[in-house]
Amino acid sequence: MISVVDYGLGNLGSILNMFRKINVPAQLVTTPEEILVADKILLPGVGAFDVAMQELARRELIEPLKHQALQARIPILGICLGMQLLGNGSEEGKLPGLGFIDARSHLFRFPVARHLKVPHMGWNFIYPEQDSPILAGLTEQQSRFYFVHSYHVVCADPQDNLAMTDYGGKFTSMVQRGNVIGAQFHPEKSHRFGMQLLRNFAGM
């Protein structure tokens, strides 16, 4: 059973619909008690970094998430803003993140002459930096996902980079440190590629 954290931010309906399509049981969880008994956790997120951390704190979900990530060491997947929350913080806000991965999020900045828009929005490829069960069946020629984001994660340790994407230069599009994984893109909007990734997560 996948426990999808409902803290008021995220494409919850789309995520649950995608799990239904791949016949994977999933449920919304809203309380510390539900998080502490979860087998696998998906942390979604759309919006501002500080607002997300404030909502997690207000609902008393931060400590249960830390327990499950760092002590119980169950599989945890953060997607979009949820991936950024796994790090130490973001240029977008002042609050600390969850700190599961030594990383910070930075705004895309490009020279005007590059004519690259922010946010980075649309389909793009990911290029794996290392092997991981969550990437099973996804090759460089096929791993195409839907992105919508203005900030990107920069890891202090390159070994935490699971996959990279090219947009005005390479940026980290997936992270992994042990049981904690992040995907900057939206698997729930990425058709068969997203289905495969979520199916892989369910099997971890």
Side-chain angles (χ1 to χ4, degrees):
M1 174 72 74
I2 309 294
S3 295
V4 181
V5 182
D6 178 4
Y7 60 104
L9 301 170
N11 300 318
L12 302 177
S14 297
I15 292 168
L16 293 179
N17 284 339
M18 186 64 91
F19 279 121
R20 277 193 286 270
K21 286 182 180 179
I22 61 175
N23 296 314
V24 170
Q27 63 181 354
L28 296 180
V29 295
T30 60
T31 68
E33 293 77 16
E34 289 172 318
I35 288 176
L36 288 172
V37 297
D39 297 319
K40 295 182 181 71
I41 291 174
L42 189 148
L43 180 65
V46 174
F49 189 95
D50 277 6
V51 173
M53 290 306 302
Q54 287 168 354
E55 284 300 310
L56 289 174
R58 186 177 70 81
R59 298 166 193 243
E60 300 182 340
L61 303 181
I62 292 177
E63 290 307 314
L65 285 170
K66 287 184 176 181
H67 176 273
Q68 293 295 71
L70 304 178
Q71 297 182 44
R73 299 186 65 80
I74 68 168
I76 294 181
L77 173 63
I79 61 174
C80 196
L81 177 60
M83 167 169 151
Q84 297 174 15
L85 298 178
L86 302 177
N88 297 324
S90 173
E91 284 186 350
E92 186 182 19
K94 298 180 179 179
L95 294 179
L98 295 170
F100 300 161
I101 292 178
D102 188 4
R104 288 188 64 83
S105 295
H106 297 266
L107 181 68
F108 279 115
R109 292 182 175 90
F110 305 114
V112 174
R114 295 296 302 276
H115 302 294
L116 290 170
K117 294 181 179 180
V118 178
H120 167 223
M121 182 166 61
W123 291 87
N124 209 336
F125 292 91
I126 68 168
Y127 301 96
E129 293 281 291
Q130 53 185 301
D131 293 330
S132 172
I134 201 164
L135 295 176
L138 295 167
T139 67
E140 289 187 8
Q141 290 76 29
Q142 294 179 327
S143 304
R144 188 167 170 263
F145 294 90
Y146 191 80
F147 290 81
V148 182
H149 63 118
S150 299
Y151 292 80
H152 63 99
V153 169
V154 177
C155 294
D157 185 348
Q159 292 188 351
D160 292 332
N161 293 328
L162 179 57
M164 308 296 286
T165 292
D166 190 4
Y167 189 67
K170 286 187 176 182
F171 73 89
T172 301
S173 52
M174 292 191 73
V175 295
Q176 181 168 7
R177 177 177 288 185
N179 57 303
V180 176
I181 302 170
Q184 183 60 69
F185 47 82
H186 288 275
E188 77 280 9
K189 296 182 179 180
S190 299
H191 306 316
R192 63 188 179 93
F193 311 107
M195 290 181 185
Q196 182 64 41
L197 186 135
L198 293 176
R199 192 179 292 115
N200 291 343
F201 178 63
M204 293 180 68

